[in-house]
Amino acid sequence: MANKAPGFAAHPEHTITLSAPSDAAVAYGGTAVARSNTAIHLTEDRYPPRAYLPRADITAELTKSEKTTYCPFKGDTVYFHVTVDGATLENAAWSYETPFDEMAAIAHLVAFDDRFAVSGAR
C-alpha cells in the first residue's frame, strides 16, 4: 500500500469495519434524500455507524462547503451543505475524495450527519 493510514500504525487497537455493498435509505424530516443498494456501512470504534452512498443515489442538492477536516484513519474530509425542501443544512454531509488505502472503498461516497435518519443493512 502506497498511501497507508498513519492512524492505524499509531493506534493498532482502533478498528473500522466496512460492509459489503448493501441497502441504505436516508431521510430528513420524513423527506427521502437518498436510496442506494450499493451503500457501504462503516462502523468505527465508539462512533455511530455511518452509511456511505454514491452521489448518483442522492436526490437532495449537495453544495460543496469550505469546511475540511482530517482523519488519520480515513484521510482528508470535504463537507457539503444539503438542501432539502428548500432548507439548507450546513456541513451536513461529507466525503473522502482520496482516502487512505485501507478506506479506498468509501472514496467519493457521501455520509450524512445525525440530523438525518438512515435505515438499511448494518
Side-chain angles (χ1 to χ4, degrees):
M1 289 187 207
N3 187 27
K4 289 184 65 101
F8 291 112
H11 301 281
E13 74 287 356
H14 190 87
T15 59
I16 298 177
T17 304
L18 302 174
S19 74
S22 61
D23 295 337
V26 181
Y28 177 77
T31 299
V33 298
R35 180 175 299 280
S36 179
N37 61 2
T38 59
I40 301 293
H41 295 269
L42 182 147
T43 304
E44 180 176 5
D45 277 355
R46 64 189 177 277
Y47 298 101
R50 298 287 177 198
Y52 283 78
L53 293 85
R55 289 183 196 170
D57 295 341
I58 299 170
T59 56
E61 179 184 339
L62 299 179
T63 306
K64 192 171 182 183
S65 167
E66 297 287 322
K67 181 179 179 177
T68 61
T69 58
Y70 171 78
C71 171
F73 301 97
K74 295 185 281 302
D76 292 318
T77 316
V78 296
Y79 287 81
F80 299 93
H81 305 309
V82 181
T83 302
V84 181
D85 293 336
T88 299
L89 305 161
E90 293 190 7
N91 301 312
W94 62 88
S95 180
Y96 295 91
E97 304 300 291
T98 54
F100 292 119
D101 292 343
E102 296 89 339
M103 297 294 119
I106 64 168
H108 302 287
L109 302 181
V110 177
F112 294 85
D113 71 16
D114 291 340
R115 291 175 275 186
F116 294 83
V118 179
S119 61
R122 301 257 169 159

